Amino acid sequence: MKRNYPVGIQNFEKIRSGNYCYIDKTELIYKLVKSGQYYFLSRPRRFGKSLLISTLEAYFQGKKELFEGLAMETLETEWTEYPILHLDLNAQKYDTPESLYSILNDALCAWEAMYETRPSETTLSLRFQGVIQRAAEKWGRNVVILIDEYDKPMLQAIGNEALLTDYRNTLKAFYGVMKSCDRYIKFALLTGVTKFSKVSVFSDLNNLMDISMSNRFANLCGITEEELYSNFQEDIIELGRQNKLTEEETKAALKEMYDGYHFTEESEDIYNPFSLLNTFAEMRFGSYWFETGTPTFLVELLKHSRYDLHRLTEEMASADSLGGIDTMHTNPVPILYQSGYLTIKGYDREFQVYYLGFPNKEVEEGFTKFLLPRYAHLETGNPSFEIMSFVKDVRQGDADAFLRRLQSFFADSPYELARDLELHYQNVLFIVFKLLGFYTQAEYHTASGRIDMVVKTDKYIYVMEFKLDGTAEEALQQINDKQYALPFASDSRKLFKVGVNFSKEIRGIEGWLIED
């Protein structure tokens, strides 16, 4: 009987009672509950945060039967039921001050129906405080507070400073109640994508333990390689059979596409759970996680901050900067990391600096393809078609054709990008040759405003030099003078030397020369 994959299902009870596969995280959850009281966890969207909240809710409801066969069954002996206040901010559109008030008011009204209210409780924070106190007194046990996607209102308000300030002030007061109600609280967990730092939302709630970059809980969400192989062995074999791959080839493809997340410097590789489950459900590889959310806002941040896209493959950041996003308009790196588009690739202990990069091919190719029409002019408006045509020209040895296509990418450059033309042409070239690199071997190097590139196919090698406000002749001369083609002298493939000149005046490629 084929297993059910819980794609989009975030309710623990539904998964356990509906014959859905479940990766047992309950040993870590038990450790979480027993080793602390107040937690914050940041993870990218669709990474299992809501399922974690739902699992904790079932645990604190004392639903022992749902944990049969899981690690928690033998670890927990008491199975005590506690009053639970579960707030889910995920399923709401936040575009006015009233929209946040409405969902908080709705939750409070439901809780007040169980635990009553007082006339003096006239604000959201006073009502929340009253509910916590009365719930604990009515049950004779302290309260469990679970808040899912605490930051959703603020994320949707980014770009609208007045609304963002309104939401920040409302939530700061609302969440801050938990500190003043400490004696009534058994356990609290807030989850989200981002960390609005201590100077804003969390300034009053400074007793939260942030476990987002904790080695102890790095695997709390997501799927490790060990979990993948032990829980999905038959699925891997069937996926390979349907895609004409061996078992080892299938494992390698899964790793290339969906693995590579690290949330601490020492954590093992973590696979994207949403993409894995979709792949097994459909029995085909696809960009499942990337296609569920478009990073339009992130691209606008990259443009606004004049970010050099080449840095995406070799970015560095301190632990402090990765913990918050309050400087995102000048430094978009933390929110790229927290959103899951970049991940930790290495760590320098001496300088306490993280090296960042794309986690896997799904994110790298999807994000780069998404960037193309936002930086370059596409005549068809279809990045997939443009890249396919570009790749075919390169593979066929038609240098003039792919240079004409490259020239068209710079037509009608937006003024806000063209005013810094050197950075703009470097960014467009990075995008184009990064995408080209998924189908060929493409190498590009930047140094002091100069870019040179090498592209290899099975039949051709292109050695390219780019100039800004020089001439194509000068670019070609540099290839010859500095013997850029020398490493390929004994290669049997046909070699093209390509000199290209960019002009600030025409805001694009002015001309090129090809020598073979």
Side-chain angles (χ1 to χ4, degrees), residues 2 5 7 228 232 235-236 238-240 242-243 245 250 253-255 257-258 271-289 362:
K2 185 173 169 59
Y5 303 97
V7 175
L228 171 63
F232 296 99
D235 311 78
I236 291 170
E238 179 60 20
L239 176 66
Q242 293 202 27
N243 289 272
L245 299 171
T250 307
L254 288 169
K255 190 173 188 67
M257 282 294 291
Y258 308 126
Y271 287 74
N272 186 313
F274 185 78
S275 290
L276 276 183
L277 292 173
N278 272 279
T279 298
F280 291 134
E282 298 294 334
M283 283 296 157
R284 57 178 289 273
F285 296 93
S287 297
Y288 299 104
W289 178 83
E362 177 188 11

Side-chain angles (χ1 to χ4, degrees), residues 19-298:
N19 191 37
Y20 291 96
C21 56
Y22 174 74
I23 307 297
D24 187 0
K25 300 285 186 180
T26 60
E27 184 175 351
L28 269 180
I29 290 172
Y30 182 81
K31 181 180 177 181
L32 183 78
V33 170
K34 298 301 181 182
S35 62
Q37 184 177 352
Y38 295 95
Y39 293 104
F40 168 72
L41 176 67
S42 165
R43 284 293 181 269
R45 60 185 169 79
R46 297 191 178 274
F47 233 87
K49 299 187 298 295
S50 297
L51 178 57
L52 171 63
I53 290 278
S54 180
T55 308
L56 281 162
E57 184 170 30
Y59 167 74
F60 281 114
Q61 287 171 334
K63 294 184 175 180
K64 181 180 179 180
E65 70 280 2
L66 295 178
F67 293 85
E68 185 179 342
L70 302 179
M72 185 73 82
E73 182 184 28
T74 56
L75 292 169
E76 184 56 76
T77 57
E78 296 180 4
W79 294 101
T80 306
E81 186 178 2
Y82 293 89
I84 298 170
L85 302 177
H86 179 182
L87 177 62
D88 183 359
L89 295 182
N90 197 36
Q92 177 77 14
K93 184 178 180 182
Y94 299 96
D95 53 4
T96 66
E98 292 73 30
S99 56
L100 176 58
Y101 176 85
S102 296
I103 197 165
L104 294 178
N105 180 60
D106 183 63
L108 286 165
C109 286
W111 296 334
E112 286 165 345
M114 293 185 283
Y115 303 118
E116 302 176 351
T117 185
R118 293 190 185 122
S120 60
E121 294 167 357
T122 55
T123 65
L124 295 171
S125 52
L126 282 174
R127 291 167 66 190
F128 189 31
Q129 181 175 300
V131 164
I132 294 171
Q133 181 178 340
R134 286 188 296 276
E137 290 170 347
K138 181 176 180 178
W139 279 73
R141 295 192 187 105
N142 280 2
V143 175
V144 170
I145 299 175
L146 303 171
I147 300 179
D148 197 10
E149 304 289 3
Y150 91 98
D151 55 346
K152 191 68 174 283
M154 292 175 291
L155 283 174
Q156 289 194 5
I158 287 174
N160 183 338
E161 201 55 43
L163 189 59
L164 182 59
T165 300
D166 185 279
Y167 286 168
R168 185 186 285 121
N169 292 337
T170 298
L171 292 173
K172 179 181 174 183
F174 189 82
Y175 295 144
V177 165
M178 286 186 276
K179 187 174 182 183
S180 60
C181 288
D182 175 60
R183 67 181 183 272
Y184 301 111
I185 297 174
K186 162 75 175 174
F187 178 89
L189 171 66
L190 283 75
T191 71
V193 171
T194 57
K195 178 86 177 280
F196 285 84
S197 76
K198 292 174 182 175
V199 298
S200 54
V201 173
F202 287 136
S203 56
D204 291 342
L205 191 56
N206 54 13
N207 56 336
L208 279 177
M209 180 184 291
D210 185 354
I211 57 170
S212 306
M213 299 182 73
S214 164
N215 279 316
R216 293 184 300 152
F217 301 109
N219 304 339
L220 194 54
C221 295
I223 297 175
T224 67
E225 191 153 272
E226 181 184 352
E227 289 168 338
L228 171 63
Y229 293 166
S230 60
N231 287 272
F232 296 99
Q233 181 63 25
E234 293 180 8
D235 311 78
I236 291 170
I237 293 170
E238 179 60 20
L239 176 66
R241 189 187 68 78
Q242 293 202 27
N243 289 272
K244 298 180 173 57
L245 299 171
T246 66
E247 182 179 339
E248 289 309 309
E249 287 172 338
T250 307
K251 287 178 177 179
L254 288 169
K255 190 173 188 67
E256 180 186 34
M257 282 294 291
Y258 308 126
D259 192 17
Y261 287 93
H262 303 95
F263 301 109
T264 72
E265 65 272 20
E266 295 178 350
S267 79
E268 56 190 303
D269 285 9
I270 295 175
Y271 287 74
N272 186 313
F274 185 78
S275 290
L276 276 183
L277 292 173
N278 272 279
T279 298
F280 291 134
E282 298 294 334
M283 283 296 157
R284 57 178 289 273
F285 296 93
S287 297
Y288 299 104
W289 178 83
F290 189 88
E291 289 170 359
T292 60
T294 55
T296 305
F297 161 68
L298 294 177

Side-chain angles (χ1 to χ4, degrees), residues 158 161 297-308 311 315-317 321 324-336 423:
I158 287 174
E161 201 55 43
F297 161 68
L298 294 177
V299 175
E300 293 307 313
L301 273 185
L302 293 173
K303 288 182 182 178
H304 181 268
S305 62
R306 296 188 170 187
Y307 186 82
D308 180 354
R311 287 169 50 195
E315 189 55 82
M316 293 188 295
S321 72
I325 65 163
D326 299 81
T327 60
M328 62 186 165
H329 290 290
T330 54
N331 179 18
V333 174
I335 195 167
L336 283 168
L423 176 63

